[in-house]
């Protein structure tokens, strides 16, 4: 058997963390077993599906490097196939037309609720041996319902949650085609999984209640039933259901916020799955290790601090040229003109150990290319009367030395000694004048990155 998995998002919103984890696990399972990973866009909700959301899904998959082998397939392009199968089921007696109006259904449900019963369709149009059905109303447009088995159980061994079973008596006859002829979600999923030969369905546990209905329809069609693995939900940092304020945003927001895709992928892999105590691993290693046995059935908890820690690790390990290209695009978006000096890769090399995100790297880098005007309050705090003479002295020393970190370091130390100051009294105002910041890497290394003329000009604005 060739393993065939699928990721089937609905384009009614953006690809968020929960969906991205589902896609990652489905992709990794196929890769682990040399199988096929399929992308299917479930776009039958015409009113809510948008081209922008479809593109956001495709962009998110590409950013995370989750390459699909087949697709994307769009359900709206498969309508004739769904109608063909519905016609087949009507002919075979596994589905039937139901003329119950929406008003009649609501009256039925209200009466059931009043009696303390679970609201459900009562099967009034379900054909049974010896049952006399009413005459269809004139001009009434029927829905089509699946003739769910009336007795017995439908059960499966979930690859994450273990044994799950439902009494068929709890499942009413599902509408598989609306009155206008359009097929419903649960029916389209079944036909798609059947036609595409899906062997393993890995999806969120919000689909558990759909699974018995889908299994029964597959069996009615004589189709193979996939194995199911239902992933538990992801909670936010505070233990509450994931919301926009702690992660349930578009995956591409993480790109905008300065995260590397390999860090996000690594983080997602550890949301509910583990391989011993391993925390940091490549996508290739993840695929080699991945299994469904080590997915926890309990909810995973999103941890922003851990994601930041991973991102910082991957930034430290990244090639300076790669980081510079990513930072450059961010600076261009800010309308920062990047000059020839300093070389951006040199700035990256100095600052990447201190940054958590690409955006922080861009913040650090832009001060080297802007006409900087430091905050007046910072200047007043650090550019003291005590420091001013030493800074004027240092300005003169900078004019005649070799422009490299060792010589700059020596000039700073000589100036500090000559004026009887402690290093921070000189280094702090120097940092503020050059970068507008009080926290930087070693001040001599920062000064050395700037062209000499820039340093002299920025100092002269404040100490002459």
């Amino acid at each position: 058997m060739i393993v065939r998995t699928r990721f089937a998002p609905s384009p009614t919103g953006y690809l968020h963390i929960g969906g991205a984890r589902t896609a990652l696990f489905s992709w990794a399972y196929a890769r682990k077993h040399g199988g096929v990973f399929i992308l299917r866009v479930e776009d039958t909700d015409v009113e809510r599906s948008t081209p922008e959301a479809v593109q956001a899904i495709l962009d998110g998959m590409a950013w995370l490097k989750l390459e699909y082998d087949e697709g994307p397939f769009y359900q709206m392009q498969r309508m004739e196939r769904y109608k063909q199968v519905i016609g087949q089921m009507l002919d075979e007696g596994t589905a039937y037309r139901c003329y119950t109006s929406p008003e009649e259904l609501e009256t039925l449900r209200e009466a059931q609720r009043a009696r303390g019963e679970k609201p459900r369709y009562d099967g009034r149009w379900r054909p049974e041996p010896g049952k006399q059905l009413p005459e269809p109303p004139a001009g009434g447009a029927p829905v089509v319902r699946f003739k769910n088995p009336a007795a017995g159980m439908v059960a499966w061994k979930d690859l994450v949650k273990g044994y799950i079973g439902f009494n068929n008596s709890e499942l009413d006859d599902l509408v598989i085609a609306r009155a206008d002829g359009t097929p419903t979600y649960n029916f389209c999923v079944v036909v798609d999984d059947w036609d595409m030969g899906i062997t393993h369905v890995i999806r969120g546990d919000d689909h558990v209640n759909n699974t018995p209905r889908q299994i029964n329809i597959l069996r009615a069609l004589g189709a193979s039933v996939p194995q199911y693995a239902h992933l538990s939900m992801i909670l936010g940092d505070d233990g509450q259901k994931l919301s926009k304020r702690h992660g349930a945003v578009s995956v591409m927001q993480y790109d905008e916020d300065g995260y590397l895709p390999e860090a996000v992928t690594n983080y997602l892999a550890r949301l509910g799955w583990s391989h011993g105590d391993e925390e940091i691993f490549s996508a290739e290693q993840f695929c080699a290790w991945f299994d469904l046995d080590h997915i926890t059935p309990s909810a995973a908890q999103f941890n922003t601090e851990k994601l930041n820690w991973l991102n910082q690790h991957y930034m430290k390990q990244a090639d300076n040229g790669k980081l510079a290209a990513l930072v450059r695009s961010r600076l261009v978006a800010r309308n920062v003109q990047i000059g020839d000096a300093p070389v951006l890769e040199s700035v990256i090399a100095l600052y990447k150990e201190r940054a958590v995100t690409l955006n922080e790297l861009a913040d650090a880098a832009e001060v080297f290319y802007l006409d900087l005007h430091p905050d007046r309050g910072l200047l007043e705090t650090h550019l003291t009367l005590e420091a001013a003479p030493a800074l004027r002295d240092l300005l003169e020393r900078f004019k005649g030395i070799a422009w490299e970190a060792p010589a700059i370091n020596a000039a700073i130390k000589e100036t500090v000694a000559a004026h009887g100051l402690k290093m921070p009294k000189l280094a702090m105002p120097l940092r503020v004048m050059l970068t507008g910041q009080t926290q930087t890497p070693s001040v001599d290394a920062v000064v050395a990155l700037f062209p000499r003329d820039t340093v002299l000009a920025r100092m002269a604005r404040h100490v002459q």
Side-chain angles (χ1 to χ4, degrees):
M1 179 187 70
I2 297 175
V3 167
R4 292 175 65 85
T5 67
R6 47 78 158 177
F7 177 53
S10 298
T12 54
Y14 298 113
L15 178 60
H16 56 75
I17 282 294
R21 183 188 62 167
T22 298
L24 175 65
F25 284 12
S26 300
W27 170 82
Y29 194 76
R31 292 292 175 266
K32 167 69 175 285
H33 296 282
V36 177
F37 175 57
I38 297 165
L39 177 61
R40 187 169 79 216
V41 179
E42 298 185 340
D43 57 348
T44 54
D45 189 341
V46 178
E47 290 184 0
R48 296 175 60 216
S49 298
T50 66
E52 293 79 13
V54 171
Q55 190 59 51
I57 290 167
L58 299 178
D59 290 345
M61 296 283 285
W63 186 68
L64 292 171
K65 300 179 177 62
L66 301 181
E67 303 93 353
Y68 39 90
D69 305 298
E70 296 178 12
F73 298 107
Y74 296 89
Q75 287 184 330
M76 287 301 294
Q77 297 174 7
R78 290 174 45 79
M79 286 294 133
E80 288 306 313
R81 171 58 176 159
Y82 304 138
K83 291 176 182 178
Q84 175 194 356
V85 177
I86 288 170
Q88 172 191 329
M89 294 177 71
L90 287 169
D91 291 342
E92 294 174 351
T94 56
Y96 61 93
R97 294 179 177 88
C98 170
Y99 292 87
T100 309
S101 69
E103 293 76 19
E104 288 174 318
L105 277 176
E106 185 55 36
T107 300
L108 169 65
R109 289 169 181 152
E110 285 179 3
Q112 290 169 332
R113 282 190 286 263
R115 295 192 298 268
E117 300 172 2
K118 178 182 177 181
R120 53 177 294 139
Y121 174 65
D122 62 1
R124 63 184 63 179
W125 286 93
R126 179 182 171 116
E128 300 287 5
K131 179 179 179 180
Q132 185 68 37
L133 296 177
E135 282 294 318
V143 300
V144 177
R145 290 184 181 272
F146 170 60
K147 193 177 182 182
N148 195 76
M153 288 194 69
V154 54
W156 71 97
K157 182 183 178 182
D158 196 275
L159 298 176
V160 172
K161 295 182 175 295
Y163 175 86
I164 300 177
F166 289 78
N167 289 315
N168 278 317
S169 59
E170 297 176 15
L171 308 173
D172 56 6
D173 290 354
L174 182 73
V175 174
I176 61 174
R178 302 177 184 89
D180 64 2
T182 59
T184 59
Y185 165 79
N186 273 298
F187 179 75
C188 295
V189 168
V190 166
V191 177
D192 290 342
D193 285 345
W194 179 28
D195 286 354
M196 296 174 189
I198 301 302
T199 62
H200 294 77
V201 173
I202 301 170
R203 61 187 179 186
D205 65 2
D206 53 329
H207 288 283
V208 166
N209 288 335
N210 293 328
T211 302
R213 305 174 189 280
Q214 294 173 7
I215 289 175
N216 280 341
I217 297 173
L218 284 163
R219 287 175 175 163
L221 290 169
S224 298
V225 177
Q227 296 189 68
Y228 293 91
H230 288 95
L231 311 175
S232 294
M233 71 171 62
I234 302 172
L235 303 177
D237 296 85
D238 55 4
Q240 301 300 309
K241 184 178 178 180
L242 200 63
S243 65
K244 287 185 178 180
R245 65 189 175 86
H246 42 27
V249 295
S250 166
V251 164
M252 297 312 294
Q253 183 65 48
Y254 289 91
D255 178 29
E256 292 179 23
D257 290 346
Y259 291 92
L260 295 172
E262 51 266 43
V264 175
T265 300
N266 190 159
Y267 181 72
L268 288 175
R270 288 287 283 112
L271 270 180
W273 174 86
S274 63
H275 182 80
D277 295 326
E278 299 289 342
E279 293 285 355
I280 299 173
F281 41 81
S282 66
E284 293 74 19
Q285 185 64 76
F286 173 55
C287 290
W289 285 339
F290 184 68
D291 59 15
L292 299 173
D293 297 335
H294 289 87
I295 296 176
T296 176
S298 57
Q301 189 159 351
F302 194 89
N303 186 319
T304 303
E305 287 185 6
K306 189 168 183 180
L307 174 58
N308 289 343
W309 172 77
L310 273 172
N311 201 62
Q312 189 168 37
H313 165 81
Y314 279 100
M315 284 182 47
K316 288 178 180 178
Q317 301 299 313
D319 175 75
N320 293 336
K322 171 189 172 180
L323 292 179
L326 295 169
V327 169
R328 183 180 297 274
S329 66
R330 283 164 165 74
L331 294 178
V332 169
R334 300 179 186 186
N335 295 316
V336 176
Q337 301 298 317
I338 304 167
D340 296 331
V343 175
L344 186 55
E345 283 84 344
S346 300
V347 179
I348 298 302
L350 183 60
Y351 276 85
K352 73 176 186 178
E353 295 281 330
R354 306 169 66 90
V356 172
T357 66
L358 293 169
N359 290 357
E360 288 185 7
L361 261 184
D363 292 341
E366 72 176 12
V367 302
F368 290 87
Y369 306 103
L370 294 173
D371 182 19
L372 189 73
H373 295 278
D375 179 77
R376 182 176 297 276
L378 277 180
L379 285 171
E380 291 175 352
T381 298
H382 297 288
L383 188 53
T384 62
L385 292 175
E386 182 183 16
L391 288 166
R392 284 192 288 269
D393 184 2
L394 183 61
L395 174 59
E396 292 304 315
R397 292 175 190 267
F398 277 170
K399 293 177 181 178
I401 62 172
W403 201 246
E404 56 190 21
I408 291 169
N409 179 270
I412 293 172
K413 286 183 176 179
E414 290 167 4
T415 305
V416 167
H419 291 265
L421 298 175
K422 292 184 178 179
M423 179 62 76
K425 288 290 186 178
L426 185 64
M428 195 63 76
L430 184 57
R431 283 190 174 96
V432 171
M433 285 188 292
L434 297 182
T435 69
Q437 301 163 356
T438 57
Q439 300 291 324
T440 72
S442 175
V443 69
D444 55 340
V446 172
V447 173
L449 280 178
F450 285 99
R452 187 199 308 263
D453 289 347
T454 301
V455 172
L456 298 180
R458 292 190 181 186
M459 291 180 70
R461 287 178 186 170
H462 307 291
V463 300
Q464 295 249 358

